[in-house]
Amino acid sequence: MSGLLTATAAGAARLGRLVAAACCAALCAGAIGGAGPADDWRHKVDPEVAAPGEAPREFLVVLGEQADLSGACRLATHAQKTAWVHRRLRETAARTQAPVVEALRAAGAEVQPFWIANFIWASGGRRAVEVAAARPDVALVEANPPVAPALPVPEARRAEKSLDIPWGILKTRAPEAWAAGARGQGAVVAGADTGYDWNHPALIRQYRGWDGAAATHDHNWHDAVHAAGSSCGADAPEPCDDNGHGTHTMGTMAGDDGAGAVVGMAPAAAWIGCRNMNAGWGTPATYMECLQWFVAPTDGAGQDPDPARAPHVINNSYSCTASEGCGDPAALLLAVENVRAAGIFMAVSAGNSGPACGSVYDPPAIYDAAFTVGSVDGNDVAASSSSRGPVTRDGSNRLKPDIAAPGVSVTSCLPGTGYGVMSGTSMAAPHVAGLVALVISANPDTAGDVDWLEALIARSAVGLTNAQNCGDFAGADIPNAVYGHGRIDALAAVVAARSDLDRDGRLTAADPPLLARSLAGNPTTPAVGRSSGDRDGDGRPTAADLLRLRLDLAK
């Protein structure tokens, strides 16, 4: 496939000029500027959809006005943020889209309005493209063909799971976090992927739609694939996985069969899901439809949107390359920024294009609003295939990945009742999504505070260095462009979350003993960030050591 969603240079520049507000990195209101004279509609149009003739082609009509979400940062809770952002996005779409929808339909196009970003999916001929692009309230007209990301395939399968816990879960010290009482309870994890086998023994008990006797898929499952072409069909009414990739990633987040087969980081978290690929094929619109649904999950008929049921974290183990649909590096930017403004954590795979520097190259991994995850093996060595930073594609030179997690030979669920081994950053990101659930279960007040959650996970990571220098980032420094801030440490993150229960920077009476037990349990690994609490090296952190450690966290 060639030239999919290849935006003009002017189109990329227009979206690139969308400025993030200083508060919460939410998008400012205003119009996306045009690339040329108002009557020169061709400057707005992706060449893929500008071909002559009335043969139907799919395209996305991006409106110039986008919702101002800068006020979201002033809201305290996850529930407040999701409700407010949902309302603002819906209001902007309702106020601005009607005349564009009417014009498209008059030109013979089929349409589907979206509000996660202010755009309209359409299918029509050249006349509909021209009508949309000629309007002054339309900024861009981009292609939306099906794309096929390169997804990992199972390296090994087994019919049953032995009672051992996968190495990655052990490496991150998740079992110690469970023993400390943080198992993901009270948190909701979500996955946007190839779908999910909700009946899998290790997933059914955690599915939010299952009450132990019957299932309710309303507000817990959405299928963004509206065409047949796989075993799931179109608009699957219940969770279905036509590939296996999604089921595997969900297992790493929350898998536990209740009989000893614990494959997930957060075995007490509830999960919901959305299918954004049809047998591994997605489009920018299906990716964004799932993100929209997560902000305000609906029933099976697409009605009764309820932001109160939004998840706390979404795992996104996919990428959208230039050849696969995202020629414009900002193609998914608006949707990802708006999800973050809603207080939802975005864990995103870095990609499997390493080991060259600058290989974190595709949306959504390149975005500042995404928490991008690289892959390490059991010795904390970066997988050769794990993409490296910095991000050069959009000219930002920003550091990516943000963090690293186990991603080599990871055992998790496969559709049916079995388990299998897969490798890739697709397997690493769900470890981070599960960790978010553990942190929220340890300190529920952190739900919705994406900035704080990201900082906590980064500072509690096991710092890793390497010999690879990439751009301005030296491999000997932390963070670096191979591991980011390092490999996640679940126990250290949970301890850090509990050490500041009201997030005011002050230790409580119970904190020093808890921190001391954490440090004593793993004296060779810093409990928080790159600083060991054992300042004098005698293995016994003092109260002063712990206070300095807490002050490091507060920076």
Side-chain angles (χ1 to χ4, degrees), residues 161-177:
K161 171 72 174 67
S162 59
L163 299 185
D164 60 307
I165 297 174
W167 74 265
I169 306 298
L170 296 172
K171 187 75 173 181
T172 64
R173 298 205 290 171
E176 289 93 325

Side-chain angles (χ1 to χ4, degrees), residues 396-422:
S396 68
N397 201 46
R398 71 172 56 92
L399 175 68
K400 290 289 179 176
D402 298 286
I403 207 74
V408 177
S409 298
V410 173
T411 299
S412 188
C413 308
L414 290 178
T417 60
Y419 299 80
V421 176
M422 292 189 187

Side-chain angles (χ1 to χ4, degrees), residues 474-502:
D477 291 341
I478 298 174
N480 55 64
V482 176
Y483 301 103
H485 291 269
R487 192 256 303 148
I488 59 171
D489 185 326
L491 179 59
V494 163
V495 168
R498 286 179 170 169
S499 71
D500 187 11
L501 295 180
D502 54 4

Side-chain angles (χ1 to χ4, degrees), residues 176-185 438-444 446 452 456 491-503 506-512 514-515 517 550 553:
E176 289 93 325
W178 305 340
R183 295 176 53 82
Q185 65 274 16
L438 294 181
V439 170
I440 290 172
S441 67
N443 186 348
T446 64
W452 192 88
L456 178 90
L491 179 59
V494 163
V495 168
R498 286 179 170 169
S499 71
D500 187 11
L501 295 180
D502 54 4
R503 288 180 288 160
R506 295 177 297 179
L507 285 169
T508 67
D511 292 326
L514 182 62
L515 284 166
R517 286 197 298 273
R550 182 65 198 95
L553 274 177

Side-chain angles (χ1 to χ4, degrees), residues 266-321:
W271 69 266
I272 63 175
C274 182
R275 184 168 73 118
N276 64 7
M277 287 174 271
N278 190 10
W281 290 74
T283 73
T286 60
Y287 296 147
M288 289 189 280
E289 182 172 331
C290 279
L291 296 180
Q292 174 171 293
W293 184 82
F294 286 130
V295 172
T298 66
D299 62 20
Q303 302 300 311
D304 189 26
D306 187 357
R309 304 190 201 190
H312 297 104
V313 56
I314 305 169
N315 181 68
N316 303 270
S317 288
Y318 61 89
S319 62
C320 190
T321 68

Side-chain angles (χ1 to χ4, degrees), residues 348-388:
V348 175
S349 297
N352 302 312
S353 300
C357 295
S359 49
V360 178
Y361 194 73
D362 301 308
I366 61 174
Y367 300 147
D368 186 54
F371 201 64
T372 305
V373 187
S375 168
V376 297
D377 65 15
N379 296 314
D380 278 342
V381 175
S384 177
S385 60
S386 183
S387 293
R388 273 71 161 165

